[in-house]
Amino acid sequence: MSESLLSVRELKKHFPTGRRSFLGRSHDVLRAVDGVSFDLERGQCLGLVGESGCGKTTVARTIMGLEKASGGSVTLDGHELTSLGRRGWLPYRTRVQMIFQDPYASLDPRQTVASILTEPLAIHGRGKPKQRKLRAMALLDVVGLNPRHINRYPHEFSGGQRQRIGIARALALEPEVLVCDEPVSALDVSIQAQIINLLVELKERFSLAYLFIAHDLAVVRHISDTVAVMYLGRVVEMAPCDTLFEAPQHPYTRALLSAVPLADPLAERQRRRILLEGDVPSPLHPPPGCAFQGRCPDRDAVPAGRCVSEAPLLLACGSSLVACHLDPSRE
């Protein structure tokens, strides 16, 4: 196995709520991310999935240094990133870049495409103005846009074209890691397929490592090598992509997969849908023990009281890592 390029260990991000006690101290914290760990290898794609609000985007923003970590570590080639200040992050921006969810909000409407694509080159002092413009035109060609449109503004492009510009901007500094925060969720289905195919092509062409965040499991299966499933700020299952989709171990993962529609109408009618009861607990006051205990359809199969009193660890179960008390065969 190749050496991990990006390593995340027990990453935490807690937000104070603003509620204060009579002593003036913050009373509650929102545990958006509460101990996430994974490794990302060179040329690989890790898919990060889960319900809205489970902490996926906060993981991405904390890894990028856009949010300061409350605990844990993020290392790039062995170099710790969570303790860096704004200036300390500068050299690492050339190696880790981000593709944002909304192509309408992530591009400055007052800048031309030329300005958008040459700005990171100028910040890092790469090349002269003419060289930067040539580089910007080459980037447009790489992502499937006409280089002659370089002097247009973002509003002159469609949503899919704007996302291609966002991808080109992320590639400008020749990064090794791309953090993709739901890059196709705001696009039409036909355009989604084009963008996903482009990302797959770019990953192979430039040996990029992707952290791919999405809630569309069909998209995740198409692009990912490994998939991590999050619930209430924690990873509850992580496995190779085919293993997770064919033999999910965690009850929450099985419920998610049961909601994915099948192309075969007969198979769709015959399969059993797993409907979860209750609501997702509040990250302000997570339940003791297993965070999924109140919605788990298999909780009666676990020895009494264990799910309530003991938080499950992410342990090996075959080729998967699973945080559940249910499976006794885990190592």
Side-chain angles (χ1 to χ4, degrees), residues 249-263:
Q249 301 293 318
H250 197 279
Y252 177 63
T253 307
R254 292 197 290 267
L256 284 182
L257 294 180
S258 76
V260 178
L262 300 177

Side-chain angles (χ1 to χ4, degrees), residues 186-297:
L187 306 176
D188 294 337
V189 174
S190 59
I191 306 301
Q192 287 183 11
Q194 296 175 19
I195 298 299
I196 291 297
N197 289 336
L198 173 63
L199 290 172
V200 171
E201 177 189 337
L202 294 174
K203 181 170 77 75
E204 297 173 354
R205 181 174 176 180
F206 299 113
S207 298
L208 296 169
Y210 288 166
L211 174 60
F212 191 89
I213 297 169
H215 60 265
D216 189 330
L217 294 175
V219 169
V220 170
R221 187 172 192 176
H222 181 71
I223 196 172
S224 300
D225 300 292
T226 305
V227 179
V229 181
M230 284 189 68
Y231 184 80
L232 204 67
R234 297 182 180 182
V235 173
V236 296
E237 183 169 359
M238 186 184 306
C241 187
D242 290 339
T243 300
L244 185 131
F245 278 88
E246 293 171 7
Q249 301 293 318
H250 197 279
Y252 177 63
T253 307
R254 292 197 290 267
L256 284 182
L257 294 180
S258 76
V260 178
L262 300 177
D264 184 351
L266 180 60
E268 176 69 23
R269 286 195 298 268
Q270 292 177 343
R271 73 170 178 167
R272 183 176 69 93
R273 176 76 184 275
I274 302 175
L275 298 176
L276 297 178
E277 300 177 354
D279 298 322
V280 180
S282 169
L284 275 173
H285 303 287
C290 177
F292 190 57
Q293 58 174 284
R295 308 177 71 199
C296 181

Side-chain angles (χ1 to χ4, degrees), residues 42-107:
R42 300 177 189 274
Q44 298 296 302
C45 177
L46 172 66
L48 192 60
V49 303
E51 292 174 296
S52 296
C54 70
K56 305 185 299 295
T57 295
T58 305
V59 168
R61 292 179 61 84
T62 307
I63 289 173
M64 291 296 302
L66 302 178
E67 300 284 355
K68 188 171 181 59
S70 303
S73 67
V74 178
T75 57
L76 181 67
D77 266 347
H79 299 281
E80 176 62 44
L81 303 183
T82 54
S83 59
L84 296 177
R86 184 174 180 179
R87 291 184 179 275
W89 256 102
L90 193 61
Y92 293 99
R93 294 295 182 201
T94 64
R95 303 183 62 189
V96 184
Q97 284 289 310
M98 189 167 181
I99 301 172
F100 295 91
Q101 177 179 358
D102 188 354
Y104 295 88
S106 60
L107 301 178

Side-chain angles (χ1 to χ4, degrees), residues 103-143:
Y104 295 88
S106 60
L107 301 178
D108 189 339
R110 297 170 296 180
Q111 288 185 299
T112 64
V113 172
S115 178
I116 290 170
L117 298 184
T118 58
E119 184 177 39
L121 298 172
I123 290 173
H124 289 270
R126 294 196 177 182
K128 297 181 179 180
K130 185 175 181 179
Q131 294 172 321
R132 294 170 193 160
K133 187 169 183 178
L134 290 175
R135 169 68 174 160
M137 295 177 72
L139 287 169
L140 288 179
D141 185 60
V142 165
V143 299

